[in-house]
Amino acid sequence: MRVGVVDLGMGNLRSAARALAAVGAEVMVGEEDVLRRSDALVLPGVGHFGAASARLFSSGLAEALVEAVGEGRPLLGICLGMQLLFEEGEEGPARGLGLLPGKVARLPEGLKVPHMGWNQVEFLPSLPFPAPGGWFYFVHSYRVLPAERGVVAGVAEYGGEEIVAAVGRGAVVGFQFHPEKSSSRGLELLKAWVDWASRARAV
């Protein structure tokens, strides 16, 4: 299966691409042309929501991603890429892709920012493929606040606060943590997504 990793010019796309290749995906990295040739898409990212939003909308990538999801092609957002799936972010402020309802806000007052390190994730039945919970690596200062509880596909606890760790609806899935930095458990999760995306695309 051809997986297109979206190049926003920022973040961890190379490590994400290597991890996806390690679990059997045929990986292409690039912009709009790569998106249109891919069976499934990955939107990685580390950085500023506003800057990433500006890049998405000025380059035509936002339109291409929304079109791809409308065609039924699976899309995985990682870290900032998951946040960009939502309608808006207060870091900017700026608009997101609007593929999922809700917004992105800074972590609550009193918590150490950024949230950096390993946290246990519990996946929920709304994740569209089976995935065992476990410990995954987080690096983020903002969190998603979905407008509908039904899109929450995984949760973690940080400083006594519940953090949305995964989201999912239809062809769209997102992880707040970095599976490509989460050792063997992260690779298992990416393999589960690749296998599911391959089946979903074949239907």
Side-chain angles (χ1 to χ4, degrees), residues 8 12 33 58 76 78 100 106 117 125 136 151 187-188 201:
L8 286 177
N12 61 324
D33 60 327
S58 66
L76 171 63
I78 297 175
L100 297 175
R106 191 166 175 83
F136 295 88
V151 306
L187 290 178
E188 289 174 17
R201 189 64 179 142

Side-chain angles (χ1 to χ4, degrees), residues 107-138:
L107 287 168
E109 290 291 331
L111 294 183
K112 183 179 179 181
V113 175
H115 169 207
M116 181 181 298
W118 295 82
N119 278 75
Q120 192 162 17
V121 174
E122 177 190 358
F123 292 109
L124 306 178
S126 45
L127 192 70
F129 52 88
W135 292 82
F136 295 88
Y137 190 76
F138 288 77

Side-chain angles (χ1 to χ4, degrees), residues 29-93:
V29 178
E31 300 183 27
E32 190 173 347
D33 60 327
V34 166
L35 269 63
R36 299 196 185 281
R37 293 186 286 117
S38 300
D39 300 309
L41 304 165
V42 174
L43 180 61
V46 175
H48 190 277
F49 188 102
S53 171
R55 168 79 171 142
L56 278 173
F57 284 96
S58 66
S59 65
L61 286 168
E63 182 180 356
L65 284 167
V66 172
E67 179 182 310
V69 171
E71 294 170 352
R73 281 188 279 167
L75 170 62
L76 171 63
I78 297 175
C79 195
L80 176 60
M82 179 181 106
Q83 296 175 0
L84 288 164
L85 302 175
F86 287 81
E87 294 167 304
E88 60 180 329
E90 68 177 29
E91 188 182 26

Side-chain angles (χ1 to χ4, degrees), residues 5-20 27 29 42-48 52 76-82 84 137-139 175-182 190:
V5 178
V6 181
D7 185 359
L8 286 177
M10 57 196 302
N12 61 324
L13 75 163
R14 298 296 172 187
S15 57
R18 286 194 298 269
L20 287 160
V27 180
V29 178
V42 174
L43 180 61
V46 175
H48 190 277
L76 171 63
I78 297 175
C79 195
L80 176 60
M82 179 181 106
L84 288 164
Y137 190 76
F138 288 77
V139 183
F175 301 137
Q176 181 61 72
F177 53 87
H178 289 274
E180 78 283 4
K181 297 180 180 179
S182 298
L190 285 177

